[in-house]
Amino acid sequence: MSAYGYIRVSSTDQNEDRQMLAMNKLKIPSAQIYIDKQSGKNTARPGLQKLLSVVTKGDTVIVESVSRFARNTRDLLELIDKLTIKGVEFISQKEHIDTKTPTGKFMITVFGAVAELERGYILQRQAEGIAAARKRGVRFGSPVIKPPENFPELVKQWECGKLLLKELLTLTGLKESTFYRRLRELRATWATKKK
């Protein structure tokens, strides 16, 4: 059962002394302190990943503040989930979060609820924005690529073996998947005309 420290500063020219001082007060050995000097925009940080691979059941990860560990609530919850699965506790000194205590566990639950609410609001605003854009006539997705006027004739030549698929694609300017989609549409049109 060991205590591990994690320190992060946003760039190489920033100083980690304040965070290191907090770790020293807790008497965490320097070999058990992991440092990243990069943005916290995601969790793919070498020091953090090394820390996550080293800690085992009964250990504790200590940070000076939550913002040094994760930049957003979703990342924080995912990281704490990873620690919890391994049986590792988490302490953030500034926010007084300690997952060993009922209050600390409650705080993490509150963070989770806030994150879920935030995700819900984002999805709702996104859906409202898409609906409003559609009402204005905005189309979503890739633009529809129409085949050239002589597409039916080129298809007939291809079906008769007079054109290779590669040649047909070059002549029409279509990708293979788009060609087959337009071919299905053309055959459906021919079938309707025969009726």
Side-chain angles (χ1 to χ4, degrees):
M1 293 174 37
S2 299
Y4 289 84
Y6 178 73
I7 293 172
R8 184 187 64 78
V9 290
S10 298
S11 62
T12 53
D13 59 343
Q14 287 186 335
N15 194 311
E16 69 269 10
D17 288 352
R18 179 178 53 83
Q19 295 175 69
M20 189 60 85
L21 186 63
M23 299 299 150
N24 290 339
K25 280 184 181 176
L26 295 170
K27 299 188 178 0
I28 298 174
S30 58
Q32 291 173 207
I33 298 173
Y34 293 83
I35 302 173
D36 279 314
K37 293 189 176 192
Q38 66 183 80
S39 165
K41 66 181 177 182
N42 61 46
T43 60
R45 293 171 252 147
L48 177 60
Q49 294 306 314
K50 179 73 175 159
L51 170 67
L52 292 174
S53 71
V54 168
V55 291
T56 58
K57 186 174 182 172
D59 290 341
T60 303
V61 170
I62 302 171
V63 296
E64 184 268 334
S65 73
V66 165
S67 65
R68 300 296 89 205
F69 195 55
R71 277 288 277 286
N72 60 57
T73 309
R74 189 180 324 113
D75 285 351
L76 174 65
L77 293 172
E78 285 176 10
L79 288 168
I80 290 176
D81 276 348
K82 286 179 182 178
L83 294 174
T84 303
I85 288 166
K86 293 182 85 168
V88 176
E89 301 296 341
F90 173 79
I91 295 174
S92 175
Q93 294 180 302
K94 186 176 184 180
E95 292 83 6
H96 304 288
I97 296 172
D98 183 343
T99 58
K100 289 183 237 174
T101 68
T103 305
K105 288 176 181 164
F106 171 74
M107 290 294 292
I108 295 303
T109 304
V110 170
F111 274 123
V114 170
E116 189 61 36
L117 180 65
E118 184 182 323
R119 277 194 293 275
Y121 282 143
I122 289 168
L123 291 172
Q124 182 181 1
R125 285 193 302 267
Q126 185 181 41
E128 289 167 355
I130 289 170
R134 283 194 171 128
K135 279 185 181 177
R136 293 191 316 269
V138 175
R139 288 185 51 109
F140 291 90
S142 302
V144 176
I145 299 170
K146 295 186 178 185
E149 293 289 325
N150 63 342
F151 186 65
E153 292 81 26
L154 293 171
V155 167
K156 285 177 183 174
Q157 289 178 32
W158 171 68
E159 289 176 329
C160 294
K162 292 180 182 177
L163 278 176
L164 296 172
L165 178 61
K166 187 176 178 181
E167 294 170 319
L168 179 61
L169 295 176
T170 302
L171 290 169
T172 59
L174 301 174
K175 291 183 180 175
E176 191 172 341
S177 57
T178 307
F179 164 71
Y180 283 113
R181 201 172 307 121
R182 299 297 162 253
L183 180 62
R184 281 192 299 276
E185 293 167 2
L186 179 64
R187 287 181 175 159
T189 305
W190 286 344
T192 305
K193 285 180 182 176
K194 285 179 183 176
K195 288 180 181 178

